[in-house]
Amino acid sequence: MSIKVLKPGLLTTIQDLGRTGFQKHGVLVSGAMDTYSLRVANLLVANDEKEACLEMTLMGPTIEFEKDCVIAITGGDLAPSINNEPVHMWKPIYVSKGSTLQFGPCKKGCRAYLAVKGGFLLSPVMNSKSTYLRGELGGFKGRALQANDVIKFTGSQHQHVKASRVHMPNWYVNFHERLPFERKPIIRVIKGSQFDLFTKESQQAFSEQAFKVSTQSDRMGYRIAGPEMVLTEKVELLSEAVTNGSIQVPPDGNPIILLADRQTTGGYPKMAQVITADLPVLAQVKPGESIYFQYITLEEAEQIYLENEKTMKQLACSIALYQKEA
């Protein structure tokens, strides 16, 4: 069982939830930019939510399916179609052997995720199938997918019946329409380790004015342009640990939001930290689009995280129940 890449798209890679536990050795986490969409895609095809998917950026690939299978596509709307017929996102889809999946113009968001029932047959590197492009590590040959690549996957019998009989619970239907893909989203942050080193004017401007995502952004981080962040005085800092969503400010005063392929340590002052719940929202912002920041407390961030995980568990239980009955 396999898929064949006819056209690779702009940037298509294999990603899961990341390569955790090795940052102390300088090994990056990588993984999906939008972990929420990846987890849901896997749940929809009865995979473990940590299974690897295709992460597709702005312009999706063209893929031929060499075996019957069940897939799900989530995340940003890249106008997917199978054999030139538009298909629904956020639902399990039966795909027959010989069918071709294509993507059109990006309608909403920035990144889409494709899960295949059973998962891709790739050897994990340090417990993860995620691709780290700069290090040529993991995924499919440590690189983005190219034309004529053939990627094997596992599967199961009677997939057609199971996919066609899955009826999502009422509260799930069209829930993705409420996902925050609006323009100029508000990204919630908690104050960073060196927040107090910035002037009061910078602290205020950070949460009141818009920042535009630079075209010089990638999976390592988003460079954003807006009001200049100014320190009260020049300081020398020792490098310290950074994480997904850490917002550093280099000497030019333009913040950098560290993301999935971030380094393990950094020496620039940290203005703020994007909360975990809003990292998927940030991942769907295109270069050239603007964002706003809103300060919240650590306690509020924790509560939002717990509520999101509760919703995810409800979704997982509901999907599993309906698939079992199918």
Side-chain angles (χ1 to χ4, degrees):
M1 296 184 179
S2 60
I3 62 172
K4 182 177 181 179
V5 179
L6 303 182
K7 296 180 181 179
L10 183 63
L11 177 64
T12 304
T13 59
I14 300 285
Q15 301 293 343
D16 55 24
L17 293 184
R19 192 166 283 107
T20 58
F22 300 96
Q23 291 186 84
K24 61 185 177 182
H25 302 300
V27 179
L28 312 190
V29 175
S30 296
M33 291 279 282
D34 179 354
T35 56
Y36 177 81
S37 293
L38 178 138
R39 292 169 69 185
V40 174
N42 277 316
L43 292 175
L44 289 170
V45 295
N47 287 348
D48 186 294
E49 64 183 57
K50 299 178 182 178
E51 186 55 65
C53 296
L54 295 188
E55 179 181 87
M56 303 163 287
T57 305
L58 289 174
M59 184 174 67
T62 300
I63 296 171
E64 181 180 21
F65 292 86
E66 300 183 337
K67 192 71 176 179
D68 295 354
C69 64
V70 174
I71 67 170
I73 304 169
T74 60
D77 186 354
L78 306 188
S81 63
I82 295 177
N83 298 333
N84 298 317
E85 292 292 331
V87 295
H88 291 290
M89 297 181 60
W90 303 92
K91 293 181 179 180
I93 305 165
Y94 170 73
V95 184
S96 59
K97 177 181 178 180
S99 295
T100 300
L101 171 66
Q102 295 176 300
F103 293 85
C106 182
K107 294 181 178 180
K108 189 185 297 184
C110 181
R111 294 175 172 85
Y113 293 82
L114 169 66
V116 177
K117 185 175 179 63
F120 294 105
L121 283 172
L122 296 168
S123 299
V125 177
M126 299 182 185
N127 305 324
S128 172
K129 298 176 184 177
S130 281
T131 309
Y132 172 45
L133 294 171
R134 284 186 173 88
E136 299 181 354
L137 182 71
F140 185 79
K141 300 182 179 180
R143 58 168 171 77
L145 299 189
Q146 300 175 3
N148 297 317
D149 283 343
V150 175
I151 308 173
K152 295 182 179 180
F153 62 89
T154 60
S156 64
Q157 296 179 344
H158 312 302
Q159 295 184 101
H160 187 183
V161 175
K162 288 191 175 184
S164 64
R165 290 185 59 193
V166 170
H167 300 287
M168 293 298 132
N170 290 335
W171 66 269
Y172 171 83
V173 176
N174 295 326
F175 89 101
H176 57 278
E177 296 296 337
R178 302 192 297 272
L179 293 178
F181 291 146
E182 74 272 9
R183 299 183 64 184
K184 299 183 179 180
I186 296 174
I187 306 298
R188 293 166 292 188
V189 300
I190 58 176
K191 296 175 181 178
S193 305
Q194 288 81 38
F195 178 82
D196 291 335
L197 297 182
F198 292 89
T199 64
K200 297 296 182 183
E201 293 77 12
S202 294
Q203 295 172 2
Q204 184 173 354
F206 185 79
S207 64
E208 293 182 351
Q209 298 186 38
F211 288 83
K212 179 178 287 188
V213 177
S214 167
T215 55
Q216 297 180 353
S217 300
D218 55 20
R219 283 178 44 85
M220 183 176 180
Y222 279 2
R223 293 181 178 272
I224 55 176
E228 182 181 357
M229 297 294 101
V230 179
L231 294 167
T232 55
E233 59 180 282
K234 187 176 180 179
V235 294
E236 293 289 336
L237 300 175
L238 295 176
S239 291
E240 59 184 24
V242 293
T243 188
N244 199 356
S246 292
I247 303 178
Q248 294 186 314
V249 181
D252 65 5
N254 293 310
I256 300 172
I257 310 174
L258 301 182
L259 296 170
D261 283 351
R262 66 199 176 275
Q263 68 273 24
T264 57
T265 62
Y268 294 137
K270 291 189 284 296
M271 182 77 181
Q273 171 69 42
V274 177
I275 69 171
T276 299
D278 283 1
L279 288 170
V281 180
L282 190 61
Q284 295 296 347
V285 177
K286 302 181 189 71
E289 294 182 338
S290 296
I291 57 177
Y292 286 89
F293 294 107
Q294 176 187 349
Y295 297 125
I296 66 171
T297 66
L298 175 60
E299 291 73 22
E300 289 172 323
E302 290 173 340
Q303 186 60 39
I304 294 168
Y305 173 81
L306 292 173
E307 290 174 357
N308 281 8
E309 288 302 303
K310 180 180 178 180
T311 299
M312 183 66 74
K313 287 183 179 179
Q314 290 175 339
L315 177 61
C317 290
S318 297
I319 293 173
L321 175 62
Y322 280 83
Q323 287 175 332
K324 183 177 181 181
E325 293 176 349

PDB file of all heavy atoms in Angstrom, residues 261-290:
ATOM      1  N   ASP A 261      10.671  24.221  14.345  1.00  0.00           N
ATOM      2  CA  ASP A 261      12.079  23.878  14.093  1.00  0.00           C
ATOM      3  C   ASP A 261      13.047  24.821  14.795  1.00  0.00           C
ATOM      4  O   ASP A 261      14.166  25.045  14.324  1.00  0.00           O
ATOM      5  CB  ASP A 261      12.356  23.897  12.581  1.00  0.00           C
ATOM      6  CG  ASP A 261      11.813  22.663  11.876  1.00  0.00           C
ATOM      7  OD1 ASP A 261      11.376  21.730  12.566  1.00  0.00           O
ATOM      8  OD2 ASP A 261      11.820  22.637  10.629  1.00  0.00           O
ATOM      9  N   ARG A 262      12.633  25.348  15.915  1.00  0.00           N
ATOM     10  CA  ARG A 262      13.463  26.284  16.677  1.00  0.00           C
ATOM     11  C   ARG A 262      14.722  25.610  17.203  1.00  0.00           C
ATOM     12  O   ARG A 262      14.782  24.392  17.356  1.00  0.00           O
ATOM     13  CB  ARG A 262      12.660  26.807  17.870  1.00  0.00           C
ATOM     14  CG  ARG A 262      12.353  25.682  18.859  1.00  0.00           C
ATOM     15  CD  ARG A 262      11.230  25.976  19.796  1.00  0.00           C
ATOM     16  NE  ARG A 262      10.943  24.817  20.627  1.00  0.00           N
ATOM     17  CZ  ARG A 262      10.154  23.821  20.256  1.00  0.00           C
ATOM     18  NH1 ARG A 262       9.593  23.823  19.054  1.00  0.00           N
ATOM     19  NH2 ARG A 262       9.937  22.807  21.074  1.00  0.00           N
ATOM     20  N   GLN A 263      15.710  26.436  17.527  1.00  0.00           N
ATOM     21  CA  GLN A 263      16.897  25.942  18.209  1.00  0.00           C
ATOM     22  C   GLN A 263      16.537  25.611  19.662  1.00  0.00           C
ATOM     23  O   GLN A 263      15.454  25.916  20.136  1.00  0.00           O
ATOM     24  CB  GLN A 263      18.015  26.997  18.166  1.00  0.00           C
ATOM     25  CG  GLN A 263      17.732  28.253  18.984  1.00  0.00           C
ATOM     26  CD  GLN A 263      16.961  29.318  18.240  1.00  0.00           C
ATOM     27  OE1 GLN A 263      16.238  29.032  17.292  1.00  0.00           O
ATOM     28  NE2 GLN A 263      17.100  30.561  18.677  1.00  0.00           N
ATOM     29  N   THR A 264      17.450  24.991  20.380  1.00  0.00           N
ATOM     30  CA  THR A 264      17.145  24.579  21.756  1.00  0.00           C
ATOM     31  C   THR A 264      17.445  25.671  22.780  1.00  0.00           C
ATOM     32  O   THR A 264      16.878  25.661  23.873  1.00  0.00           O
ATOM     33  CB  THR A 264      17.940  23.312  22.126  1.00  0.00           C
ATOM     34  OG1 THR A 264      19.345  23.577  21.950  1.00  0.00           O
ATOM     35  CG2 THR A 264      17.535  22.153  21.232  1.00  0.00           C
ATOM     36  N   THR A 265      18.340  26.604  22.457  1.00  0.00           N
ATOM     37  CA  THR A 265      18.658  27.704  23.377  1.00  0.00           C
ATOM     38  C   THR A 265      18.729  29.010  22.601  1.00  0.00           C
ATOM     39  O   THR A 265      18.883  29.020  21.379  1.00  0.00           O
ATOM     40  CB  THR A 265      20.009  27.491  24.096  1.00  0.00           C
ATOM     41  OG1 THR A 265      21.062  27.447  23.119  1.00  0.00           O
ATOM     42  CG2 THR A 265      20.006  26.207  24.907  1.00  0.00           C
ATOM     43  N   GLY A 266      18.625  30.119  23.318  1.00  0.00           N
ATOM     44  CA  GLY A 266      18.721  31.430  22.692  1.00  0.00           C
ATOM     45  C   GLY A 266      19.221  32.467  23.677  1.00  0.00           C
ATOM     46  O   GLY A 266      18.989  32.341  24.888  1.00  0.00           O
ATOM     47  N   GLY A 267      19.873  33.496  23.164  1.00  0.00           N
ATOM     48  CA  GLY A 267      20.460  34.504  24.030  1.00  0.00           C
ATOM     49  C   GLY A 267      19.834  35.874  23.935  1.00  0.00           C
ATOM     50  O   GLY A 267      20.285  36.810  24.598  1.00  0.00           O
ATOM     51  N   TYR A 268      18.794  36.027  23.101  1.00  0.00           N
ATOM     52  CA  TYR A 268      18.106  37.312  23.012  1.00  0.00           C
ATOM     53  C   TYR A 268      17.062  37.431  24.119  1.00  0.00           C
ATOM     54  O   TYR A 268      16.506  36.435  24.571  1.00  0.00           O
ATOM     55  CB  TYR A 268      17.408  37.462  21.650  1.00  0.00           C
ATOM     56  CG  TYR A 268      18.336  37.532  20.468  1.00  0.00           C
ATOM     57  CD1 TYR A 268      18.042  36.826  19.308  1.00  0.00           C
ATOM     58  CD2 TYR A 268      19.476  38.322  20.487  1.00  0.00           C
ATOM     59  CE1 TYR A 268      18.875  36.893  18.191  1.00  0.00           C
ATOM     60  CE2 TYR A 268      20.310  38.395  19.384  1.00  0.00           C
ATOM     61  CZ  TYR A 268      20.008  37.674  18.239  1.00  0.00           C
ATOM     62  OH  TYR A 268      20.837  37.746  17.149  1.00  0.00           O
ATOM     63  N   PRO A 269      16.789  38.664  24.564  1.00  0.00           N
ATOM     64  CA  PRO A 269      15.746  38.856  25.585  1.00  0.00           C
ATOM     65  C   PRO A 269      14.391  38.346  25.089  1.00  0.00           C
ATOM     66  O   PRO A 269      14.027  38.554  23.924  1.00  0.00           O
ATOM     67  CB  PRO A 269      15.716  40.375  25.782  1.00  0.00           C
ATOM     68  CG  PRO A 269      17.032  40.866  25.269  1.00  0.00           C
ATOM     69  CD  PRO A 269      17.420  39.939  24.168  1.00  0.00           C
ATOM     70  N   LYS A 270      13.654  37.694  25.985  1.00  0.00           N
ATOM     71  CA  LYS A 270      12.346  37.156  25.634  1.00  0.00           C
ATOM     72  C   LYS A 270      11.252  38.094  26.143  1.00  0.00           C
ATOM     73  O   LYS A 270      11.065  38.253  27.341  1.00  0.00           O
ATOM     74  CB  LYS A 270      12.179  35.750  26.194  1.00  0.00           C
ATOM     75  CG  LYS A 270      13.073  34.717  25.498  1.00  0.00           C
ATOM     76  CD  LYS A 270      12.747  33.305  25.906  1.00  0.00           C
ATOM     77  CE  LYS A 270      13.263  32.976  27.283  1.00  0.00           C
ATOM     78  NZ  LYS A 270      14.743  33.033  27.356  1.00  0.00           N
ATOM     79  N   MET A 271      10.545  38.668  25.189  1.00  0.00           N
ATOM     80  CA  MET A 271       9.465  39.603  25.506  1.00  0.00           C
ATOM     81  C   MET A 271       8.248  38.870  26.037  1.00  0.00           C
ATOM     82  O   MET A 271       7.584  39.326  26.980  1.00  0.00           O
ATOM     83  CB  MET A 271       9.079  40.375  24.238  1.00  0.00           C
ATOM     84  CG  MET A 271       7.993  41.410  24.438  1.00  0.00           C
ATOM     85  SD  MET A 271       8.651  42.885  25.232  1.00  0.00           S
ATOM     86  CE  MET A 271       7.203  43.907  25.378  1.00  0.00           C
ATOM     87  N   ALA A 272       7.917  37.731  25.427  1.00  0.00           N
ATOM     88  CA  ALA A 272       6.689  37.032  25.780  1.00  0.00           C
ATOM     89  C   ALA A 272       6.772  35.581  25.330  1.00  0.00           C
ATOM     90  O   ALA A 272       7.735  35.163  24.670  1.00  0.00           O
ATOM     91  CB  ALA A 272       5.472  37.722  25.148  1.00  0.00           C
ATOM     92  N   GLN A 273       5.725  34.830  25.677  1.00  0.00           N
ATOM     93  CA  GLN A 273       5.609  33.426  25.318  1.00  0.00           C
ATOM     94  C   GLN A 273       4.192  33.161  24.834  1.00  0.00           C
ATOM     95  O   GLN A 273       3.224  33.385  25.567  1.00  0.00           O
ATOM     96  CB  GLN A 273       5.912  32.526  26.531  1.00  0.00           C
ATOM     97  CG  GLN A 273       5.616  31.057  26.326  1.00  0.00           C
ATOM     98  CD  GLN A 273       6.566  30.397  25.345  1.00  0.00           C
ATOM     99  OE1 GLN A 273       7.775  30.648  25.371  1.00  0.00           O
ATOM    100  NE2 GLN A 273       6.030  29.571  24.463  1.00  0.00           N
ATOM    101  N   VAL A 274       4.052  32.705  23.581  1.00  0.00           N
ATOM    102  CA  VAL A 274       2.733  32.355  23.057  1.00  0.00           C
ATOM    103  C   VAL A 274       2.198  31.152  23.818  1.00  0.00           C
ATOM    104  O   VAL A 274       2.921  30.173  24.036  1.00  0.00           O
ATOM    105  CB  VAL A 274       2.809  32.033  21.550  1.00  0.00           C
ATOM    106  CG1 VAL A 274       1.439  31.598  21.019  1.00  0.00           C
ATOM    107  CG2 VAL A 274       3.329  33.231  20.773  1.00  0.00           C
ATOM    108  N   ILE A 275       0.935  31.205  24.217  1.00  0.00           N
ATOM    109  CA  ILE A 275       0.373  30.081  24.962  1.00  0.00           C
ATOM    110  C   ILE A 275       0.203  28.885  24.025  1.00  0.00           C
ATOM    111  O   ILE A 275       0.000  29.032  22.815  1.00  0.00           O
ATOM    112  CB  ILE A 275      -0.959  30.440  25.643  1.00  0.00           C
ATOM    113  CG1 ILE A 275      -2.074  30.664  24.615  1.00  0.00           C
ATOM    114  CG2 ILE A 275      -0.784  31.677  26.520  1.00  0.00           C
ATOM    115  CD1 ILE A 275      -3.457  30.803  25.254  1.00  0.00           C
ATOM    116  N   THR A 276       0.279  27.695  24.585  1.00  0.00           N
ATOM    117  CA  THR A 276       0.201  26.466  23.799  1.00  0.00           C
ATOM    118  C   THR A 276      -1.063  26.407  22.949  1.00  0.00           C
ATOM    119  O   THR A 276      -1.033  25.994  21.786  1.00  0.00           O
ATOM    120  CB  THR A 276       0.257  25.244  24.728  1.00  0.00           C
ATOM    121  OG1 THR A 276       1.500  25.261  25.448  1.00  0.00           O
ATOM    122  CG2 THR A 276       0.155  23.947  23.948  1.00  0.00           C
ATOM    123  N   ALA A 277      -2.179  26.835  23.507  1.00  0.00           N
ATOM    124  CA  ALA A 277      -3.461  26.749  22.806  1.00  0.00           C
ATOM    125  C   ALA A 277      -3.502  27.590  21.544  1.00  0.00           C
ATOM    126  O   ALA A 277      -4.271  27.286  20.619  1.00  0.00           O
ATOM    127  CB  ALA A 277      -4.594  27.161  23.744  1.00  0.00           C
ATOM    128  N   ASP A 278      -2.689  28.644  21.466  1.00  0.00           N
ATOM    129  CA  ASP A 278      -2.737  29.540  20.308  1.00  0.00           C
ATOM    130  C   ASP A 278      -1.640  29.278  19.284  1.00  0.00           C
ATOM    131  O   ASP A 278      -1.597  29.937  18.240  1.00  0.00           O
ATOM    132  CB  ASP A 278      -2.667  31.000  20.771  1.00  0.00           C
ATOM    133  CG  ASP A 278      -3.995  31.484  21.319  1.00  0.00           C
ATOM    134  OD1 ASP A 278      -4.956  30.692  21.348  1.00  0.00           O
ATOM    135  OD2 ASP A 278      -4.075  32.654  21.747  1.00  0.00           O
ATOM    136  N   LEU A 279      -0.773  28.305  19.537  1.00  0.00           N
ATOM    137  CA  LEU A 279       0.256  27.974  18.548  1.00  0.00           C
ATOM    138  C   LEU A 279      -0.346  27.451  17.236  1.00  0.00           C
ATOM    139  O   LEU A 279       0.117  27.828  16.154  1.00  0.00           O
ATOM    140  CB  LEU A 279       1.239  26.954  19.137  1.00  0.00           C
ATOM    141  CG  LEU A 279       2.181  27.518  20.202  1.00  0.00           C
ATOM    142  CD1 LEU A 279       2.938  26.381  20.898  1.00  0.00           C
ATOM    143  CD2 LEU A 279       3.165  28.515  19.598  1.00  0.00           C
ATOM    144  N   PRO A 280      -1.402  26.618  17.280  1.00  0.00           N
ATOM    145  CA  PRO A 280      -2.033  26.219  16.020  1.00  0.00           C
ATOM    146  C   PRO A 280      -2.638  27.392  15.253  1.00  0.00           C
ATOM    147  O   PRO A 280      -2.625  27.402  14.017  1.00  0.00           O
ATOM    148  CB  PRO A 280      -3.118  25.227  16.470  1.00  0.00           C
ATOM    149  CG  PRO A 280      -2.610  24.667  17.761  1.00  0.00           C
ATOM    150  CD  PRO A 280      -1.944  25.835  18.420  1.00  0.00           C
ATOM    151  N   VAL A 281      -3.175  28.372  15.971  1.00  0.00           N
ATOM    152  CA  VAL A 281      -3.719  29.572  15.317  1.00  0.00           C
ATOM    153  C   VAL A 281      -2.602  30.310  14.601  1.00  0.00           C
ATOM    154  O   VAL A 281      -2.739  30.722  13.439  1.00  0.00           O
ATOM    155  CB  VAL A 281      -4.392  30.493  16.353  1.00  0.00           C
ATOM    156  CG1 VAL A 281      -4.948  31.744  15.668  1.00  0.00           C
ATOM    157  CG2 VAL A 281      -5.497  29.763  17.095  1.00  0.00           C
ATOM    158  N   LEU A 282      -1.483  30.471  15.280  1.00  0.00           N
ATOM    159  CA  LEU A 282      -0.333  31.161  14.701  1.00  0.00           C
ATOM    160  C   LEU A 282       0.189  30.428  13.471  1.00  0.00           C
ATOM    161  O   LEU A 282       0.590  31.049  12.480  1.00  0.00           O
ATOM    162  CB  LEU A 282       0.764  31.272  15.764  1.00  0.00           C
ATOM    163  CG  LEU A 282       1.967  32.154  15.448  1.00  0.00           C
ATOM    164  CD1 LEU A 282       1.541  33.599  15.219  1.00  0.00           C
ATOM    165  CD2 LEU A 282       2.980  32.076  16.588  1.00  0.00           C
ATOM    166  N   ALA A 283       0.168  29.095  13.514  1.00  0.00           N
ATOM    167  CA  ALA A 283       0.674  28.291  12.403  1.00  0.00           C
ATOM    168  C   ALA A 283      -0.131  28.486  11.136  1.00  0.00           C
ATOM    169  O   ALA A 283       0.361  28.210  10.038  1.00  0.00           O
ATOM    170  CB  ALA A 283       0.677  26.814  12.782  1.00  0.00           C
ATOM    171  N   GLN A 284      -1.360  28.981  11.254  1.00  0.00           N
ATOM    172  CA  GLN A 284      -2.221  29.166  10.082  1.00  0.00           C
ATOM    173  C   GLN A 284      -2.174  30.596   9.544  1.00  0.00           C
ATOM    174  O   GLN A 284      -2.925  30.947   8.623  1.00  0.00           O
ATOM    175  CB  GLN A 284      -3.657  28.781  10.435  1.00  0.00           C
ATOM    176  CG  GLN A 284      -3.847  27.306  10.766  1.00  0.00           C
ATOM    177  CD  GLN A 284      -3.547  26.387   9.589  1.00  0.00           C
ATOM    178  OE1 GLN A 284      -3.424  26.825   8.447  1.00  0.00           O
ATOM    179  NE2 GLN A 284      -3.408  25.099   9.867  1.00  0.00           N
ATOM    180  N   VAL A 285      -1.281  31.428  10.078  1.00  0.00           N
ATOM    181  CA  VAL A 285      -1.108  32.799   9.590  1.00  0.00           C
ATOM    182  C   VAL A 285      -0.087  32.799   8.449  1.00  0.00           C
ATOM    183  O   VAL A 285       1.026  32.300   8.606  1.00  0.00           O
ATOM    184  CB  VAL A 285      -0.654  33.740  10.721  1.00  0.00           C
ATOM    185  CG1 VAL A 285      -0.415  35.150  10.178  1.00  0.00           C
ATOM    186  CG2 VAL A 285      -1.685  33.770  11.844  1.00  0.00           C
ATOM    187  N   LYS A 286      -0.458  33.377   7.332  1.00  0.00           N
ATOM    188  CA  LYS A 286       0.435  33.434   6.174  1.00  0.00           C
ATOM    189  C   LYS A 286       1.436  34.584   6.306  1.00  0.00           C
ATOM    190  O   LYS A 286       1.140  35.598   6.952  1.00  0.00           O
ATOM    191  CB  LYS A 286      -0.358  33.662   4.891  1.00  0.00           C
ATOM    192  CG  LYS A 286      -1.421  32.650   4.557  1.00  0.00           C
ATOM    193  CD  LYS A 286      -2.069  33.021   3.242  1.00  0.00           C
ATOM    194  CE  LYS A 286      -3.305  32.180   2.950  1.00  0.00           C
ATOM    195  NZ  LYS A 286      -4.435  32.552   3.848  1.00  0.00           N
ATOM    196  N   PRO A 287       2.609  34.463   5.679  1.00  0.00           N
ATOM    197  CA  PRO A 287       3.502  35.614   5.566  1.00  0.00           C
ATOM    198  C   PRO A 287       2.778  36.774   4.891  1.00  0.00           C
ATOM    199  O   PRO A 287       2.038  36.583   3.925  1.00  0.00           O
ATOM    200  CB  PRO A 287       4.643  35.093   4.691  1.00  0.00           C
ATOM    201  CG  PRO A 287       4.653  33.614   4.944  1.00  0.00           C
ATOM    202  CD  PRO A 287       3.210  33.230   5.118  1.00  0.00           C
ATOM    203  N   GLY A 288       2.973  37.973   5.424  1.00  0.00           N
ATOM    204  CA  GLY A 288       2.290  39.149   4.905  1.00  0.00           C
ATOM    205  C   GLY A 288       1.034  39.501   5.674  1.00  0.00           C
ATOM    206  O   GLY A 288       0.526  40.621   5.559  1.00  0.00           O
ATOM    207  N   GLU A 289       0.514  38.567   6.479  1.00  0.00           N
ATOM    208  CA  GLU A 289      -0.670  38.842   7.288  1.00  0.00           C
ATOM    209  C   GLU A 289      -0.258  39.395   8.651  1.00  0.00           C
ATOM    210  O   GLU A 289       0.898  39.263   9.071  1.00  0.00           O
ATOM    211  CB  GLU A 289      -1.520  37.585   7.461  1.00  0.00           C
ATOM    212  CG  GLU A 289      -2.131  37.097   6.159  1.00  0.00           C
ATOM    213  CD  GLU A 289      -3.019  35.885   6.337  1.00  0.00           C
ATOM    214  OE1 GLU A 289      -2.862  35.170   7.348  1.00  0.00           O
ATOM    215  OE2 GLU A 289      -3.871  35.644   5.450  1.00  0.00           O
ATOM    216  N   SER A 290      -1.202  40.016   9.334  1.00  0.00           N
ATOM    217  CA  SER A 290      -0.915  40.674  10.612  1.00  0.00           C
ATOM    218  C   SER A 290      -1.554  39.944  11.782  1.00  0.00           C
ATOM    219  O   SER A 290      -2.551  39.225  11.623  1.00  0.00           O
ATOM    220  CB  SER A 290      -1.413  42.122  10.585  1.00  0.00           C
ATOM    221  OG  SER A 290      -0.714  42.878   9.616  1.00  0.00           O
TER     222      SER A 290
END
